[in-house]
Amino acid sequence: MTTENDTITCERYLPHRPAAVWRALTDPGLHARWWAAGDVKPVVGHRFTLDMGNFGHQSCEVTEVEDERLLVYRFAEGTLDTTVTWTLHPEGEGTRLVLTHTGFDLDSPLGRQAYEGMGHGWPSVLERLDVVLGGAARQ
C-alpha cells in the first residue's frame, strides 16, 4: 500500500480469475461479505448507498465501467467526495487488483481522518475480499 498526496493505492494479487473478482466487486451479496452492504451495480450513472456501520450510510455514483477491468465510483458524496477506482489486471491464473482511492481533502479534519483511517483499513478490506473469493470458489 502507498499513500501519496491525497491518494491511497493498494495492490493485491488474487489467485482468482478476473470474472470472479469482478463478481465480488459488483454483486451486492458478495460485496456485503467483504466490505459493505449496498446495491452496487456496474452501470454508469447508477447511484447506491454503502452501509459503513459506525461511519454511516455513504452515497455513491458509478462513473466508469469496463466489464471485468475497471469500476470507478464517487464515494461519500456530500461528505468526503472521494473517488474509488478498482482496476483488474489478468496475471497468470489470477488477477492483480489495484485499488486507488483519491480526492481526500487533507485540509479538513474529516478528510485527514478518513485518509489516515482508510490508509490503514484498505489492506484488511482486500484481505477479506481474498478470503470471500476463496470461500465463493469452494461453494
Side-chain angles (χ1 to χ4, degrees):
M1 184 202 66
T2 61
T3 54
E4 187 174 312
N5 300 325
D6 69 347
T7 301
I8 299 166
T9 304
C10 295
E11 199 174 300
R12 184 171 182 106
Y13 174 79
L14 301 167
H16 311 280
R17 297 198 182 279
V21 176
W22 182 256
R23 187 168 161 251
L25 293 175
T26 60
D27 177 275
L30 284 174
H31 196 276
R33 291 175 51 198
W34 61 269
W35 188 28
D39 184 31
V40 61
K41 290 181 186 166
V43 176
V44 172
H46 175 66
R47 295 182 148 294
F48 61 101
T49 301
L50 291 177
D51 181 351
M52 304 300 296
N54 293 339
F55 299 104
H57 289 79
Q58 303 301 327
S59 298
C60 303
E61 181 183 3
V62 176
T63 58
E64 288 182 64
V65 173
E66 289 180 39
D67 199 36
E68 297 185 9
R69 299 193 46 159
L70 179 72
L71 178 64
V72 182
Y73 48 84
R74 287 199 272 290
F75 176 77
E77 292 179 298
T79 53
L80 289 181
D81 292 313
T82 57
T83 300
V84 173
T85 301
W86 301 97
T87 309
L88 291 71
H89 303 278
E91 186 174 305
E93 295 295 310
T95 305
R96 179 144 315 266
L97 180 64
V98 180
L99 158 74
T100 307
H101 194 167
T102 189
F104 293 92
D105 178 359
L106 301 180
D107 293 329
S108 82
L110 177 64
R112 172 66 64 183
Q113 180 183 8
Y115 176 76
E116 291 171 1
M118 294 178 130
H120 295 292
W122 275 123
S124 63
V125 169
L126 294 183
E127 176 71 29
R128 287 195 308 271
L129 171 59
D130 194 10
V131 169
V132 165
L133 280 167
R138 290 189 291 275
Q139 291 178 353

